[in-house]
Amino acid sequence: MTDQQRDPFTPDPGARTGDATPPSQRIDTTVPHPARRYDYWLGGKDNFAADRASGDAIAAAYPPVRIAAVENRKFLRRAVTYLVREAGIRQFLDIGTGIPTANNTHEVAQSIVPDARVVYVDNDPIVLVHARALLTSSPDGATAYIDADLRDPEKILNDPDLLRTLDMSQPIGLMLVAVLHFIMDEDGAHEIVRRLVDAMPSGSHLTVTNGTLDFVPPELAAQADAISARSGINMALRNRAEFGRFFEGLDLVEPGIQPVSQWRADDEPQPRPSPAESAVYAAIGRKP
Ligand SMILES: C[S@@+](CC[C@H](N)C(=O)[O-])C[C@H]1O[C@@H](n2cnc3c(N)ncnc32)[C@H](O)[C@@H]1O
């Protein structure tokens, strides 16, 4: 649905996932969800006891996790700004959107170029419930929201709202920010990224962040699986080589693979959080 079309609250919200249940009834508050836990770490209000318990379980073992969440969100703003200002990107596919908060992709892009077009995708019904806040495009641009799963890239690429909103013959900014660590290797994380990039023309850019254990003390890294199990959400925390594989065949934009708090962060307040405090890799690659 584009912003000119259906209100996200009217019936049919489950059409994209094949679930006809209204999104508010699809929200399960008894188990933690990544979108709501991230909202909790960012200081938002759209979270429930299970999300807070999961967030606290991680924070007990790794106190900087809130800094990591805030730094990831700041990176998203810097990345969109770079893509619009320096790479000339005018359209975005933002998968794993999260609950709308400050500096959503279309707001950052359209503050620079009002005609930017953005398609958002998330599989969490709570994001769908809040999708109205993402459908606030400037009159010259467009936004759309698709209720779909990253693990089904064909469905995303063939969605009529995507095809109406984006011109797939022109470069796309593919944003996979803090979402790939919810897709395990055995679920085809790298193949999914390849399929999406293959569908985009030369000049498109892939932006990824992914949690990592590379910077945390070894004794904490050794407990990561147990901590993850306690938190109720499995995460694929990737090392530098595993992260770098997402960019095979692409040209890394300077300064390459960096801790998320360091990537083109000269204009952020100094000193920057250390790699150990942000524990997330970030990079952008250009399709030649
Ligand atoms: C940590 S939030 C990141 C939000 C935003 N990209 C950012 O970086 O600020 C991760 C988001 O990915 C979504 N997500 C997780 N697994 C997904 C999947 N398989 N398909 C689509 N979205 C997914 C979650 O619902 C959540 O909204």
Side-chain angles (χ1 to χ4, degrees):
M1 64 201 153
T2 66
D3 42 347
Q4 289 90 17
Q5 298 170 329
R6 179 161 47 76
D7 183 307
F9 293 91
T10 54
D12 183 34
R16 296 285 170 262
T17 53
D19 183 346
T21 315
S24 55
Q25 289 173 30
R26 283 163 51 206
I27 293 172
D28 183 351
T29 60
T30 64
V31 292
H33 274 224
R36 299 180 329 220
R37 187 178 67 178
Y38 185 60
D39 174 79
Y40 173 54
W41 284 331
L42 289 178
K45 295 194 166 41
D46 295 303
N47 50 74
F48 299 90
D51 310 308
R52 295 190 285 274
S54 173
D56 289 344
I58 303 263
Y62 174 63
V65 68
R66 291 187 179 83
I67 297 176
V70 169
E71 285 300 317
N72 178 76
R73 191 71 192 175
K74 286 184 175 177
F75 165 81
L76 175 63
R77 179 176 48 74
R78 295 199 302 277
V80 173
T81 302
Y82 165 82
L83 289 166
V84 173
R85 279 226 174 97
E86 297 188 45
I89 295 294
R90 295 291 176 267
Q91 38 179 12
F92 292 85
L93 177 56
D94 181 344
I95 307 178
T97 303
I99 296 168
T101 179
N103 292 319
N104 301 303
T105 296
H106 76 285
E107 294 165 346
V108 177
Q110 292 183 349
S111 72
I112 306 167
V113 286
D115 61 346
R117 298 186 300 282
V118 179
V119 170
Y120 292 107
V121 181
D122 206 288
N123 69 345
D124 191 323
I126 198 160
V127 182
L128 175 61
V129 162
H130 290 279
R132 193 194 298 272
L134 300 167
L135 302 180
T136 54
S137 176
S138 70
D140 294 337
T143 60
Y145 182 84
I146 302 173
D147 178 26
D149 197 302
L150 174 56
R151 287 166 292 191
D152 191 352
E154 297 308 324
K155 188 170 177 180
I156 294 172
L157 290 168
N158 291 311
D159 188 283
D161 288 323
L162 180 147
L163 297 171
R164 255 194 299 273
T165 309
L166 304 181
D167 175 352
M168 293 301 280
S169 72
Q170 296 300 313
I172 309 279
L174 173 58
M175 312 302 289
L176 297 173
V177 180
V179 62
L180 282 169
H181 45 223
F182 301 112
I183 312 278
M184 305 299 128
D185 283 1
E186 52 272 30
D187 290 331
H190 292 88
E191 293 74 11
I192 290 167
V193 173
R194 180 66 33 227
R195 174 67 193 103
L196 290 167
V197 171
D198 280 352
M200 297 176 182
S202 165
S204 295
H205 285 65
L206 168 68
T207 302
V208 181
T209 69
N210 198 119
T212 183
L213 295 172
D214 281 3
F215 309 116
V216 304
E219 56 278 14
L220 178 57
Q223 298 173 44
D225 286 346
I227 296 164
S228 181
R230 273 206 298 281
S231 83
I233 298 176
N234 274 340
M235 289 183 75
L237 300 170
R238 296 191 162 93
N239 63 30
R240 197 175 201 282
E242 292 163 342
F243 180 79
R245 274 186 57 213
F246 288 125
F247 295 92
E248 271 172 15
L250 306 182
D251 300 327
L252 282 174
V253 164
E254 284 298 319
I257 298 171
Q258 293 287 323
V260 76
S261 57
Q262 318 277 318
W263 193 93
R264 291 191 182 232
D266 291 350
D267 293 339
E268 298 282 7
Q270 305 290 330
R272 308 297 303 130
S274 68
E277 286 172 318
S278 46
V280 173
Y281 274 125
I284 297 183
R286 180 186 186 278
K287 185 171 179 179

